[in-house]
Amino acid sequence: MAFSVTHHKQKLVVPDKATPFETKHISDIDDQGSTHFQMPTIMFYKYNSSMEGKDPAKYIKDGLSKTLVFYYPLAGRIFEGPNKKLLVNCNGEGILFVEADANIELEKLGNSIKPPCPHLDLLIHNVPGSDGLIGCPLLLIQVTRFSCGGFAVGIRLNHTMMDAYGLKMFLNALSELIQGASTPTIVPVWERKLLNARSPPCITCTHPEYDEQIESKNAWKFLEDKLVQKSFFFGNKEIEAIRKQVFPNHSEGTKFELLVAFLWKYRTIALGLRPEEIVRLTYVVNVRGKSLKFELPRGYYGNAFVAPAIVSKAGLLCSSPLSYAVELVKKVKDHMNEEYIRSVADLMVIKGRPELSKSWNFIVSDNRSAGFDEVDFGWGKPIFGGVPKAISFISFCVPVKNDKGEKGILIAISLPPLAMEKFQEVVYNMTYKNVVGVNIIVSKI
């Protein structure tokens, strides 16, 4: 049976108590050019006999009304102020809620619930006119019931409002209020001025992540409509195979450092670029990390990340041992401090909020500890929770278990078809060749 979903008429969910009518400023870290898009997240839940007769759509919709009392700016609308600065009109208009029913059992979807999930258009319905940055709902949530009693919660978030940490905080509050709490354990804090540019702003660090080469940008833009996505699973065996490629006289690096260095090198080889072409690896660094010693209130739910880049000539990256890429990745940490964060905020103001470079840039966001796989609305933890696909040249590491129950990292990558064939072959030969039962999940964008 073909998979289909019936979408009921969308509704606006508003706070169930009066909330302040006011204008709020988002931070200059919120207002990076690279956050000006709608971010999808999805979670799938199995049938739970202890919740028999309870409608997840009703529970979640009612819980959203309570949660928005505490997170009332999310019920507002973005508008543009002087110098294109984005502000929030906290007018209580509400978030979009879509109730839907699927015609099959959840288990029939199999591995397609994992990135790159091919069903997103059905599970996160793009309500006409709702996906803009200005004047549109800041959050859309769809609850899709499956015929077996399982369900999916699809989320589309205006990324200028919060990052993965902030969204998880919101979902934790929703979970607590659904299950009877009167107040979230962590009370949300706005305080976006903490990540604003200085006065006067001054760029004090080097930021190659925003350096744009027009020819390379145009070349990538030409390819964007032709990309395909595949997801690759890296468990302990695969990571160990990568680790063995790093020369023993080099310090080993973390699992994440090894993985992104490996992916960057062999992705670049697969693209077949000219040796003199400049390539970048950019990965998202959470400002809240203890290593940065940057203190934010526990309830701060705004965007709190920077995305430093490392740069190499394609020929040097491709011809050097993997340890070359690993060492470059590790050096990024040396530049991460409060001054770097302040410099990024200042750059946004001085340079007009640029996006991250598209010039042969591979951007990776490590969502392994985001916690979307732990959100429990009363039906238990999801069988999958996380960002459901790569977004153009941005990939997301999500925690999953493979068919054997082994824990690992799943990452969806976008490449042109011929480059993807080359990349898949080299990844298989260098990591999966001796691992039985590997699943590579494929989706055309």
Side-chain angles (χ1 to χ4, degrees):
M1 185 185 296
F3 178 44
S4 66
V5 172
T6 300
H7 298 98
H8 304 283
K9 184 174 176 58
Q10 67 271 11
K11 301 173 182 176
L12 284 171
V13 177
V14 301
D16 75 352
K17 294 179 183 176
T19 56
F21 276 66
E22 59 188 3
T23 296
K24 283 190 173 291
H25 291 70
I26 63 175
S27 79
D28 291 311
I29 293 294
D30 287 318
D31 203 0
Q32 301 180 61
S34 53
T35 64
H36 289 191
F37 71 100
Q38 301 278 351
M39 184 66 159
T41 304
I42 198 160
M43 298 167 289
F44 292 90
Y45 296 86
K46 283 185 175 181
Y47 166 72
N48 184 333
S49 59
S50 69
M51 302 298 281
E52 180 69 44
K54 296 180 179 178
D55 180 5
K58 182 181 186 307
Y59 271 71
I60 290 172
K61 180 173 173 288
D62 291 347
L64 286 169
S65 286
K66 298 174 183 176
T67 310
L68 288 172
V69 173
F70 300 93
Y71 288 84
Y72 66 89
L74 295 179
R77 298 292 182 269
I78 291 279
F79 69 99
E80 195 171 85
N83 300 317
K84 296 187 176 182
K85 173 71 175 177
L86 298 182
L87 303 98
V88 186
N89 178 15
C90 300
N91 56 15
E93 283 190 35
I95 64 172
L96 267 177
F97 184 80
V98 179
E99 194 173 331
D101 290 288
N103 67 327
I104 61 171
E105 298 175 347
L106 174 56
E107 66 179 19
K108 299 289 186 185
L109 294 184
N111 268 334
S112 68
I113 67 172
K114 298 175 183 177
C117 178
H119 313 298
L120 286 188
D121 290 345
L122 296 175
L123 297 170
I124 304 178
H125 178 51
N126 184 19
V127 176
S130 70
D131 60 352
L133 185 68
I134 307 295
C136 292
L138 300 174
L139 191 61
L140 180 151
I141 294 184
Q142 176 177 326
V143 178
T144 305
R145 294 172 294 240
F146 289 84
S147 60
C148 57
F151 63 97
V153 179
I155 300 167
R156 195 188 68 195
L157 167 71
N158 184 320
H159 201 341
T160 62
M161 292 301 290
M162 52 189 176
D163 56 15
Y165 181 95
L167 178 57
K168 175 58 165 40
M169 194 186 304
F170 174 84
L171 292 173
N172 283 345
L174 173 61
S175 170
E176 291 172 346
L177 295 175
I178 284 174
Q179 296 180 74
S182 57
T183 305
T185 300
I186 302 177
V187 178
V189 174
W190 187 260
E191 291 298 325
R192 304 296 171 103
K193 63 184 179 183
L194 294 172
L195 288 173
N196 269 347
R198 294 169 287 199
S199 182
C202 179
I203 302 171
T204 53
C205 299
T206 303
H207 299 284
E209 58 270 28
Y210 300 106
D211 293 342
E212 195 65 274
Q213 295 169 303
I214 299 302
E215 285 186 15
S216 301
K217 178 184 179 181
N218 290 340
W220 178 262
K221 208 170 183 180
F222 174 76
L223 294 172
E224 271 196 287
D225 292 337
K226 303 174 178 65
L227 300 178
V228 295
Q229 281 191 31
K230 293 187 180 181
S231 280
F232 299 86
F233 175 83
F234 295 90
N236 290 334
K237 293 176 183 177
E238 291 79 14
I239 295 295
E240 188 57 33
I242 295 172
R243 194 180 300 279
K244 287 178 180 177
Q245 299 174 46
V246 180
F247 285 173
N249 60 329
H250 288 264
S251 54
E252 289 191 339
T254 67
K255 184 184 292 187
F256 179 73
E257 289 166 348
L258 286 167
L259 178 58
V260 295
F262 171 83
L263 294 172
W264 183 39
K265 174 178 177 174
Y266 292 106
R267 177 183 181 272
T268 304
I269 290 173
L271 285 167
L273 304 177
R274 293 180 291 107
E276 294 301 306
E277 191 78 69
I278 299 297
V279 293
R280 292 172 175 78
L281 168 66
T282 301
Y283 67 88
V284 175
V285 176
N286 190 341
V287 168
R288 299 176 180 89
K290 292 179 181 178
S291 61
L292 295 185
K293 297 179 181 177
F294 193 97
E295 292 189 13
L296 290 171
R298 187 180 179 212
Y300 188 90
Y301 64 100
N303 288 284
F305 71 88
V306 290
I310 54 177
V311 175
S312 175
K313 287 186 176 181
L316 181 58
L317 174 65
C318 295
S319 62
S320 298
L322 182 58
S323 54
Y324 167 76
V326 173
E327 290 303 318
L328 285 179
V329 172
K330 288 167 63 178
K331 285 179 182 177
V332 170
K333 288 181 178 177
D334 298 337
H335 303 290
M336 291 297 99
N337 52 32
E338 181 173 348
E339 186 61 32
Y340 188 92
I341 298 161
R342 298 296 180 197
S343 184
V344 170
D346 293 351
L347 182 147
M348 289 300 135
V349 172
I350 292 171
K351 295 196 174 183
R353 312 188 189 287
E355 294 183 48
L356 292 166
S357 169
K358 291 188 176 181
S359 298
W360 305 121
N361 193 2
F362 178 40
I363 302 179
V364 184
S365 179
D366 185 6
N367 277 202
R368 287 176 298 163
S369 58
F372 297 123
D373 57 335
E374 298 175 348
V375 178
D376 183 354
F377 299 116
W379 279 260
K381 293 180 181 180
I383 53 175
F384 172 79
V387 180
K389 65 174 184 176
I391 299 173
S392 184
F393 55 109
I394 309 174
S395 293
F396 300 85
C397 293
V398 294
V400 297
K401 290 182 179 178
N402 64 8
D403 294 339
K404 297 179 179 180
E406 298 169 332
K407 291 182 179 180
I409 302 168
L410 192 71
I411 183 165
I413 291 180
S414 298
L415 283 170
L418 288 178
M420 182 60 81
E421 286 182 22
K422 294 178 185 176
F423 182 73
Q424 180 177 336
E425 183 179 356
V426 74
V427 170
Y428 176 81
N429 286 335
M430 303 196 78
T431 61
Y432 300 142
K433 203 167 186 179
N434 299 315
V435 180
V436 180
V438 169
N439 289 320
I440 298 177
I441 307 167
V442 185
S443 175
K444 192 164 186 176
I445 297 176

